[in-house]
Amino acid sequence: MAQGTQPSLRASWYLLGPAFVAAIAYVDPGNVAANVSSGAQYGYLLLWVIVVANVMAGLVQYLSAKLGLVTGQSLPRAIGKQMGRPLRLAFWVQAELVAIATDAAEIIGGAIALHILFNLPLLAGGVITGVVAMLLLTIQDRRGQILFERVITGLLFTIAIGFAASFFVATPPPGAVLGGLLPGFRGTESVLLAAAILGATVMPHAVYMHSGLALDRHGHPEPGPRRRRLLLVTRVDVVLAMAVAGTVNAAMLLVAAINLHNQDVTASIEGAYAAIHATLGPTIAVLFAVGLLASGLASSSVGAYAGAMIMKGLLHRSIPMMARRLITLCPAVLILAIGFDPTRTLVLSQVVLSFGLPFAVLPLVKLTSDRELMGDDRNHPVTTAIGWTVGVLVSVLNVLLIYLTLKG
């Protein structure tokens, strides 16, 4: 039996990968900005938001991958088939705005990292980030899906090392960490940051994209043992990838809480780097900046990949990746050229993403609960109930955010 199980295990490990590409979206520069701002301003208060958001993300990512495997369609395509042309165009517009906000965050994050590491002007750093991300995409075009997954996974672990390295020097007090796991807010700004964390963690473009990634990698298996095995491997893939992403996100907030909270420093990524440099030394600070750079490069290429998939699924059209890269690069470059505060822009971009979440999550839950579409692989009623709860909670948080912001 051992001889029969070992090759199966090796083959199963070989099938892992799509979730790790999607997980890059959960450790992008927008996450860094939202988590650093949260830790700097409120210490450990919003740590629970990261945990809850990570659990939500794991559920919706699995449902997205399952939709692709079972139906042979990406989520954007499956949504588009339920709509007439005018509604489909309107849906594409909001999805495209979310993709642009995503791309802006990745480019700005890479620009900040290059400024920290090499003192490059932010505008030049943004252009370089966009170009390098485009080169990463050529790996997928020319060398195939598997090598692209391996490169992105390598960058994911680079990000993890970069943001977790500081814990070898300074660790947070256990009591404060446990206190941060108790739900609570402290004013309007904490709700804004919670929405930013949620938008940065459960990212709409990653939800759309995972269905296509699973389909590109595994195809559309017929009902039977192979499909059951792929669904099992997909669950393991999602759990492992989200464990890495969740740990990295928690590390970002904890690093800021340790080094920036109640300190006379700017609640920004540059402020975090300066504080880490002063308290933990130049080596840890450089690793932090390298993690940020890897985050910007990897997530920008993944974001462009997702944007192309959304356009193809909803409009049934595709444009050359280079042209798309140039189009989505423009808003980020314009923001850098005007001189907006980059960290604040990153946080606000994540709030925009949180407003796009219901448009991705609610249709996903509906589609994966459809007996006619999914057959025996439709959601369990408990899964459906949890999925609807996630979608409603996200929507309520957004309404609350608007109310508190206008009231303030």
Side-chain angles (χ1 to χ4, degrees):
M1 180 176 291
Q3 289 180 345
T5 345
Q6 196 170 356
S8 174
L9 182 62
R10 281 202 302 267
S12 296
W13 278 109
Y14 178 76
L15 294 172
L16 300 179
F20 284 83
V21 175
I24 283 291
Y26 301 119
V27 290
D28 77 335
N31 288 81
V32 182
N35 294 329
V36 164
S37 296
S38 300
Q41 294 182 50
Y42 297 102
Y44 305 94
L45 177 70
L46 297 179
L47 182 61
W48 67 273
V49 180
I50 291 177
V51 175
V52 171
N54 206 65
V55 172
M56 290 181 177
L59 173 64
V60 297
Q61 290 305 136
Y62 172 67
L63 293 183
S64 177
K66 182 172 78 166
L67 178 75
L69 289 172
V70 172
T71 67
Q73 304 174 75
S74 68
L75 176 58
R77 187 170 185 81
I79 291 173
K81 288 182 71 174
Q82 310 287 318
M83 299 176 175
R85 182 175 173 78
L87 187 56
R88 185 156 45 88
L89 287 174
F91 195 94
W92 171 74
V93 168
Q94 68 80 27
E96 196 65 38
L97 289 174
V98 164
I100 289 172
T102 301
D103 210 39
E106 331 300 26
I107 297 298
I108 291 170
I112 294 172
L114 289 170
H115 175 70
I116 290 172
L117 287 168
F118 305 110
N119 202 29
L120 286 177
L122 288 174
L123 183 58
V127 173
I128 291 171
T129 302
V131 170
V132 174
M134 186 66 226
L135 294 177
L136 286 175
L137 281 172
T138 61
I139 294 176
Q140 197 273 340
D141 285 339
R142 297 183 180 180
R143 302 295 299 275
Q145 180 82 8
I146 295 177
L147 182 60
F148 179 67
E149 288 174 6
R150 298 295 179 261
V151 171
I152 296 298
T153 301
L155 288 170
L156 175 61
F157 283 103
T158 302
I159 296 164
I161 293 168
F163 290 120
S166 64
F167 292 118
F168 291 101
V169 180
T171 55
V177 173
L178 291 175
L181 296 175
L182 299 175
F185 295 106
R186 198 181 300 154
T188 304
E189 181 69 12
S190 68
V191 178
L192 174 69
L193 287 172
I197 291 172
L198 186 62
T201 305
V202 192
M203 297 188 78
H205 78 284
V207 180
Y208 293 125
M209 176 178 61
H210 202 160
S211 54
L213 286 169
L215 187 59
D216 289 348
R217 177 68 184 278
H218 302 308
H220 177 210
E222 293 296 322
R226 183 168 181 269
R227 179 187 288 183
R228 289 196 298 272
R229 181 184 174 214
L230 285 174
L231 288 173
L232 175 61
V233 169
T234 297
R235 285 195 289 272
V236 173
D237 196 24
V238 169
V239 168
L240 292 176
M242 295 315 301
V244 174
T247 301
V248 173
N249 276 311
M252 294 175 194
L253 186 144
L254 294 175
V255 166
I258 294 169
N259 296 288
L260 274 74
H261 188 49
N262 292 329
Q263 303 294 321
D264 188 20
V265 294
T266 307
S268 65
I269 294 175
E270 295 95 326
Y273 171 81
I276 291 170
H277 191 284
T279 56
L280 303 179
T283 302
I284 300 297
V286 167
L287 287 173
F288 176 87
V290 169
L292 176 63
L293 179 59
S295 168
L297 295 175
S299 55
S300 184
S301 61
V302 168
Y305 183 103
M309 186 180 296
I310 290 168
M311 175 177 281
K312 185 176 181 181
L314 289 170
L315 298 187
H316 306 156
R317 294 180 181 177
S318 57
I319 61 174
M321 194 65 77
M322 182 64 77
R324 181 174 181 86
R325 170 81 281 173
L326 292 174
I327 292 168
T328 55
L329 186 63
C330 289
V333 169
L334 181 61
I335 289 169
L336 292 172
I338 292 173
F340 287 130
D341 175 23
T343 299
R344 185 65 177 176
T345 302
L346 284 175
V347 171
L348 292 176
S349 74
Q350 305 312 293
V351 176
V352 172
L353 298 186
S354 75
F355 283 101
L357 274 174
F359 295 98
V361 174
L362 295 177
L364 174 64
V365 176
K366 181 178 183 297
L367 289 166
T368 51
S369 306
D370 188 329
R371 179 190 292 271
E372 185 177 343
L373 183 66
M374 301 291 291
D376 292 338
D377 292 306
R378 68 189 184 280
N379 294 340
H380 188 280
V382 174
T383 305
T384 300
I386 295 172
W388 285 121
T389 302
V390 169
V392 170
L393 280 176
V394 168
S395 304
V396 169
L397 180 60
N398 290 335
V399 172
L400 179 63
L401 174 63
I402 294 171
Y403 170 74
L404 292 176
T405 303
L406 294 177
K407 184 181 176 183

